[in-house]
Amino acid sequence: MEEREILDILGISVDKVDMRKAISIFSNLMETEECSLIVTPNSEIIMNATKDESLRKIIASADLVIPDGIGLVYASKLLGQPLKERVTGIDFMEMILIWLQENEKSIYLFGSKPENEEREAVCDLAAKKKQIQYPNLKIAGTHHGYFKPEEENSIVEHINASGADFLCVALGSPKQEEFIARHRESLKVKAAIGVGGSFDVWAGTLKRAPEFYQNHGLEWLYRFIQEPTRYKRMAALPTFMIKVMAAKTKA
Ligand code: UDP
């Protein structure tokens, strides 16, 4: 059993993992009976967690906290405990899909936009694309992410009835983490993860940054070019770095 090694960033515990270790911990979690929680916070989510007690508690209760995003890698260096590599949520998800296929475990895709006149629901499009890429992957079910609160329990029943081993929730943060935390006791999956906009990338409705941006830690810039309305949220990155530096100076 691989031991967790924890790094404290602004009072939030994240796992000091590279991809190999993250997958190793994930495979252990898939052996346990209860529903494990996996979160992949970036600097914006860490900042939110410092202000939002409920999100902070949810992250503290997670079984694996993957530091997603270049801001956390810089923060780890500043704090003198450098992360070996950046494990982005979307790359981690790709490795999970390969693991699920190899281990004959099934996945349920919950979240993202419902169908419209031009296309199917994003979760169904994403499922189809991934089924082509991984022909032996077992996709137990899908459900879009625009629902009324009173529909939540029946979605949980649908997930349980599908017999899925693993649940991906794409509702954005903190909605996705809150959904998993709220239903953790009744969910029969072995583990659940919040994946943000991953289904949009899988479905092809949102493009992932080209390699140049990925290799230079500039995915946030590409995202900004695609969705300029996110500028306010992106201001979180410099504020985050300043807070980490201030915390380092105080320590
Ligand atoms: N979404 C959803 N239900 C909602 C709000 C959002 O299913 O009520 C989906 C949205 O369609 C998108 C994802 O959640 O696929 C949010 O992705 P984003 O990258 O914005 O996540 P964040 O950066 O907030 O984690």
Side-chain angles (χ1 to χ4, degrees):
M1 189 90 150
E2 194 108 26
E3 285 288 312
R4 288 181 78 183
E5 211 183 323
I6 301 292
L7 173 64
D8 181 299
I9 300 183
L10 300 181
I12 312 297
S13 297
V14 301
D15 281 81
K16 214 177 153 198
V17 284
D18 54 12
M19 185 65 85
R20 188 207 58 78
K21 186 157 179 181
I23 290 294
S24 162
I25 295 176
F26 167 77
S27 65
N28 291 336
L29 297 178
M30 292 297 286
E31 298 294 324
T32 59
E33 269 319 305
E34 67 281 8
C35 171
S36 298
L37 169 63
I38 304 168
V39 291
T40 66
N42 56 16
S43 39
E44 183 194 347
I45 297 174
I46 298 278
M47 286 284 290
N48 291 344
T50 62
K51 292 175 250 165
D52 173 348
E53 199 193 345
S54 134
L55 180 60
R56 194 160 59 240
K57 281 191 179 151
I58 292 174
I59 298 179
S61 76
D63 302 279
L64 178 58
V65 183
I66 307 245
D68 181 0
I70 198 71
L72 290 170
V73 175
Y74 290 149
S76 72
K77 283 188 187 151
L78 270 175
L79 296 168
Q81 295 191 59
L83 290 159
K84 270 197 241 155
E85 65 181 25
R86 184 164 60 121
V87 184
T88 65
I90 192 128
D91 289 333
F92 180 57
M93 275 313 301
E94 211 61 43
M95 298 308 290
I96 287 185
L97 294 180
I98 294 168
W99 187 94
L100 292 171
Q101 172 167 260
E102 275 172 6
N103 291 276
E104 299 180 1
K105 303 281 187 206
S106 60
I107 185 170
Y108 189 104
L109 309 186
F110 169 44
S112 65
K113 297 220 164 66
E115 65 177 337
N116 62 23
E117 307 81 52
E118 281 150 39
R119 51 148 184 78
E120 293 172 76
V122 171
C123 53
D124 291 325
L125 273 176
K128 281 191 180 161
K129 291 267 171 83
K130 287 298 166 191
Q131 192 68 86
I132 293 168
Q133 195 179 351
Y134 303 111
N136 297 324
L137 177 68
K138 292 184 187 166
I139 300 178
T142 61
H143 197 290
H144 68 76
Y146 291 79
F147 53 90
K148 299 194 191 90
E150 59 270 27
E151 289 167 338
E152 245 183 72
N153 287 340
S154 71
I155 294 172
V156 172
E157 277 168 29
H158 192 248
I159 295 165
N160 285 342
S162 77
D165 299 296
F166 181 64
L167 171 66
C168 281
V169 185
L171 301 175
S173 183
K175 252 190 189 174
Q176 55 199 21
E177 287 80 19
E178 285 167 358
F179 176 89
I180 301 169
R182 208 163 36 243
H183 298 288
R184 217 170 152 179
E185 302 289 310
S186 40
L187 279 166
K188 293 196 180 126
V189 293
K190 296 282 166 53
I193 187 171
V195 295
S198 297
F199 297 172
D200 300 278
V201 175
W202 292 354
T205 48
L206 186 75
K207 280 207 183 69
R208 194 179 177 195
E211 261 176 42
F212 171 83
Y213 291 85
Q214 289 183 36
N215 296 340
H216 291 82
L218 292 172
E219 285 195 275
W220 58 271
L221 175 62
Y222 185 78
R223 189 91 202 252
F224 174 66
I225 297 166
Q226 284 212 315
E227 293 177 74
T229 49
R230 291 172 75 97
Y231 78 93
K232 266 197 197 142
R233 295 178 49 178
M234 286 179 165
L237 182 58
T239 317
F240 169 76
M241 291 313 301
I242 291 165
K243 289 227 166 163
V244 174
M245 276 188 255
K248 164 94 180 139
T249 322
K250 258 193 240 158

